[in-house]
PDB file of all heavy atoms in Angstrom:
ATOM      1  N   ASP G 259       9.277  -5.052 -15.110  1.00 93.00           N
ATOM      2  CA  ASP G 259      10.180  -6.038 -15.692  1.00 93.00           C
ATOM      3  C   ASP G 259      10.733  -7.000 -14.659  1.00 93.00           C
ATOM      4  O   ASP G 259      11.574  -7.855 -14.986  1.00 93.00           O
ATOM      5  CB  ASP G 259      11.338  -5.345 -16.399  1.00 93.00           C
ATOM      6  CG  ASP G 259      12.177  -4.445 -15.503  1.00 93.00           C
ATOM      7  OD1 ASP G 259      11.869  -4.395 -14.270  1.00 93.00           O
ATOM      8  OD2 ASP G 259      13.123  -3.818 -15.968  1.00 93.00           O
ATOM      9  N   GLY G 260      10.313  -6.870 -13.405  1.00 90.00           N
ATOM     10  CA  GLY G 260      10.790  -7.736 -12.364  1.00 90.00           C
ATOM     11  C   GLY G 260      11.894  -7.154 -11.508  1.00 90.00           C
ATOM     12  O   GLY G 260      12.251  -7.742 -10.481  1.00 90.00           O
ATOM     13  N   SER G 261      12.469  -6.032 -11.936  1.00 96.00           N
ATOM     14  CA  SER G 261      13.531  -5.390 -11.145  1.00 96.00           C
ATOM     15  C   SER G 261      12.995  -4.775  -9.869  1.00 96.00           C
ATOM     16  O   SER G 261      11.792  -4.445  -9.783  1.00 96.00           O
ATOM     17  CB  SER G 261      14.268  -4.352 -11.989  1.00 96.00           C
ATOM     18  OG  SER G 261      13.327  -3.335 -12.370  1.00 96.00           O
ATOM     19  N   THR G 262      13.841  -4.569  -8.902  1.00 97.00           N
ATOM     20  CA  THR G 262      13.437  -3.958  -7.651  1.00 97.00           C
ATOM     21  C   THR G 262      14.410  -2.835  -7.299  1.00 97.00           C
ATOM     22  O   THR G 262      15.626  -3.018  -7.329  1.00 97.00           O
ATOM     23  CB  THR G 262      13.449  -4.990  -6.507  1.00 97.00           C
ATOM     24  OG1 THR G 262      12.551  -6.074  -6.853  1.00 97.00           O
ATOM     25  CG2 THR G 262      12.972  -4.365  -5.206  1.00 97.00           C
ATOM     26  N   ASN G 263      13.857  -1.672  -6.978  1.00 98.00           N
ATOM     27  CA  ASN G 263      14.667  -0.547  -6.440  1.00 98.00           C
ATOM     28  C   ASN G 263      14.775  -0.732  -4.942  1.00 98.00           C
ATOM     29  O   ASN G 263      13.780  -0.608  -4.221  1.00 98.00           O
ATOM     30  CB  ASN G 263      13.964   0.769  -6.806  1.00 98.00           C
ATOM     31  CG  ASN G 263      14.722   1.978  -6.288  1.00 98.00           C
ATOM     32  OD1 ASN G 263      15.624   1.861  -5.475  1.00 98.00           O
ATOM     33  ND2 ASN G 263      14.342   3.141  -6.792  1.00 98.00           N
ATOM     34  N   GLU G 264      15.951  -1.041  -4.457  1.00 98.00           N
ATOM     35  CA  GLU G 264      16.184  -1.420  -3.086  1.00 98.00           C
ATOM     36  C   GLU G 264      16.295  -0.236  -2.108  1.00 98.00           C
ATOM     37  O   GLU G 264      16.506  -0.423  -0.931  1.00 98.00           O
ATOM     38  CB  GLU G 264      17.453  -2.277  -2.973  1.00 98.00           C
ATOM     39  CG  GLU G 264      17.384  -3.577  -3.743  1.00 98.00           C
ATOM     40  CD  GLU G 264      16.529  -4.617  -3.066  1.00 98.00           C
ATOM     41  OE1 GLU G 264      16.447  -4.605  -1.805  1.00 98.00           O
ATOM     42  OE2 GLU G 264      15.903  -5.422  -3.761  1.00 98.00           O
ATOM     43  N   THR G 265      16.151   0.979  -2.631  1.00 98.00           N
ATOM     44  CA  THR G 265      16.305   2.160  -1.755  1.00 98.00           C
ATOM     45  C   THR G 265      15.292   2.081  -0.601  1.00 98.00           C
ATOM     46  O   THR G 265      14.125   1.754  -0.790  1.00 98.00           O
ATOM     47  CB  THR G 265      16.080   3.452  -2.555  1.00 98.00           C
ATOM     48  OG1 THR G 265      16.940   3.447  -3.702  1.00 98.00           O
ATOM     49  CG2 THR G 265      16.388   4.661  -1.710  1.00 98.00           C
ATOM     50  N   LEU G 266      15.763   2.471   0.594  1.00 98.00           N
ATOM     51  CA  LEU G 266      14.920   2.506   1.777  1.00 98.00           C
ATOM     52  C   LEU G 266      14.687   3.965   2.204  1.00 98.00           C
ATOM     53  O   LEU G 266      15.603   4.776   2.186  1.00 98.00           O
ATOM     54  CB  LEU G 266      15.597   1.747   2.924  1.00 98.00           C
ATOM     55  CG  LEU G 266      15.947   0.291   2.657  1.00 98.00           C
ATOM     56  CD1 LEU G 266      16.686  -0.285   3.865  1.00 98.00           C
ATOM     57  CD2 LEU G 266      14.684  -0.537   2.367  1.00 98.00           C
ATOM     58  N   TRP G 267      13.441   4.239   2.574  1.00 98.00           N
ATOM     59  CA  TRP G 267      13.103   5.586   3.064  1.00 98.00           C
ATOM     60  C   TRP G 267      12.294   5.437   4.372  1.00 98.00           C
ATOM     61  O   TRP G 267      11.539   4.498   4.550  1.00 98.00           O
ATOM     62  CB  TRP G 267      12.204   6.317   2.045  1.00 98.00           C
ATOM     63  CG  TRP G 267      12.772   6.559   0.673  1.00 98.00           C
ATOM     64  CD1 TRP G 267      12.323   6.016  -0.480  1.00 98.00           C
ATOM     65  CD2 TRP G 267      13.854   7.418   0.339  1.00 98.00           C
ATOM     66  NE1 TRP G 267      13.036   6.476  -1.529  1.00 98.00           N
ATOM     67  CE2 TRP G 267      14.010   7.353  -1.048  1.00 98.00           C
ATOM     68  CE3 TRP G 267      14.712   8.263   1.074  1.00 98.00           C
ATOM     69  CZ2 TRP G 267      14.992   8.090  -1.770  1.00 98.00           C
ATOM     70  CZ3 TRP G 267      15.689   8.969   0.379  1.00 98.00           C
ATOM     71  CH2 TRP G 267      15.811   8.887  -1.009  1.00 98.00           C
ATOM     72  N   THR G 268      12.509   6.417   5.246  1.00 98.00           N
ATOM     73  CA  THR G 268      11.820   6.356   6.548  1.00 98.00           C
ATOM     74  C   THR G 268      10.305   6.396   6.374  1.00 98.00           C
ATOM     75  O   THR G 268       9.562   5.781   7.128  1.00 98.00           O
ATOM     76  CB  THR G 268      12.255   7.500   7.464  1.00 98.00           C
ATOM     77  OG1 THR G 268      12.305   8.733   6.738  1.00 98.00           O
ATOM     78  CG2 THR G 268      13.652   7.232   8.056  1.00 98.00           C
ATOM     79  N   TYR G 269       9.817   7.151   5.384  1.00 98.00           N
ATOM     80  CA  TYR G 269       8.377   7.291   5.306  1.00 98.00           C
ATOM     81  C   TYR G 269       7.677   6.033   4.813  1.00 98.00           C
ATOM     82  O   TYR G 269       6.473   5.823   5.130  1.00 98.00           O
ATOM     83  CB  TYR G 269       7.933   8.508   4.502  1.00 98.00           C
ATOM     84  CG  TYR G 269       7.973   8.450   2.994  1.00 98.00           C
ATOM     85  CD1 TYR G 269       6.994   9.157   2.259  1.00 98.00           C
ATOM     86  CD2 TYR G 269       8.954   7.767   2.298  1.00 98.00           C
ATOM     87  CE1 TYR G 269       7.002   9.151   0.881  1.00 98.00           C
ATOM     88  CE2 TYR G 269       8.933   7.784   0.914  1.00 98.00           C
ATOM     89  CZ  TYR G 269       7.993   8.455   0.221  1.00 98.00           C
ATOM     90  OH  TYR G 269       7.988   8.465  -1.162  1.00 98.00           O
ATOM     91  N   ASN G 270       8.403   5.164   4.116  1.00 98.00           N
ATOM     92  CA  ASN G 270       7.789   3.884   3.765  1.00 98.00           C
ATOM     93  C   ASN G 270       7.674   2.981   4.997  1.00 98.00           C
ATOM     94  O   ASN G 270       6.658   2.266   5.165  1.00 98.00           O
ATOM     95  CB  ASN G 270       8.627   3.187   2.679  1.00 98.00           C
ATOM     96  CG  ASN G 270       8.393   3.789   1.320  1.00 98.00           C
ATOM     97  OD1 ASN G 270       7.339   4.385   1.051  1.00 98.00           O
ATOM     98  ND2 ASN G 270       9.347   3.673   0.422  1.00 98.00           N
ATOM     99  N   SER G 271       8.691   3.035   5.855  1.00 98.00           N
ATOM    100  CA  SER G 271       8.538   2.355   7.162  1.00 98.00           C
ATOM    101  C   SER G 271       7.322   2.906   7.892  1.00 98.00           C
ATOM    102  O   SER G 271       6.506   2.151   8.426  1.00 98.00           O
ATOM    103  CB  SER G 271       9.794   2.554   8.014  1.00 98.00           C
ATOM    104  OG  SER G 271      10.949   1.999   7.406  1.00 98.00           O
ATOM    105  N   GLY G 272       7.217   4.227   7.933  1.00 98.00           N
ATOM    106  CA  GLY G 272       6.135   4.874   8.662  1.00 98.00           C
ATOM    107  C   GLY G 272       4.763   4.544   8.162  1.00 98.00           C
ATOM    108  O   GLY G 272       3.808   4.306   8.947  1.00 98.00           O
ATOM    109  N   ALA G 273       4.591   4.556   6.849  1.00 98.00           N
ATOM    110  CA  ALA G 273       3.283   4.309   6.288  1.00 98.00           C
ATOM    111  C   ALA G 273       2.754   2.923   6.632  1.00 98.00           C
ATOM    112  O   ALA G 273       1.556   2.729   6.897  1.00 98.00           O
ATOM    113  CB  ALA G 273       3.290   4.495   4.772  1.00 98.00           C
ATOM    114  N   MET G 274       3.655   1.946   6.672  1.00 99.00           N
ATOM    115  CA  MET G 274       3.223   0.612   7.040  1.00 99.00           C
ATOM    116  C   MET G 274       2.915   0.490   8.514  1.00 99.00           C
ATOM    117  O   MET G 274       1.975  -0.206   8.929  1.00 99.00           O
ATOM    118  CB  MET G 274       4.292  -0.405   6.622  1.00 99.00           C
ATOM    119  CG  MET G 274       4.405  -0.564   5.079  1.00 99.00           C
ATOM    120  SD  MET G 274       2.853  -1.256   4.367  1.00 99.00           S
ATOM    121  CE  MET G 274       3.072  -2.995   4.790  1.00 99.00           C
ATOM    122  N   ILE G 275       3.661   1.207   9.349  1.00 98.00           N
ATOM    123  CA  ILE G 275       3.323   1.244  10.768  1.00 98.00           C
ATOM    124  C   ILE G 275       2.010   1.913  10.981  1.00 98.00           C
ATOM    125  O   ILE G 275       1.118   1.441  11.743  1.00 98.00           O
ATOM    126  CB  ILE G 275       4.474   1.983  11.543  1.00 98.00           C
ATOM    127  CG1 ILE G 275       5.782   1.205  11.470  1.00 98.00           C
ATOM    128  CG2 ILE G 275       4.053   2.237  12.984  1.00 98.00           C
ATOM    129  CD1 ILE G 275       6.996   2.035  11.829  1.00 98.00           C
TER     130      ILE G 275
END
Side-chain angles (χ1 to χ4, degrees):
D259 61 0
S261 62
T262 302
N263 180 346
E264 298 285 329
T265 308
L266 303 175
W267 300 114
T268 46
Y269 79 146
N270 284 334
S271 297
M274 290 297 282
I275 295 164

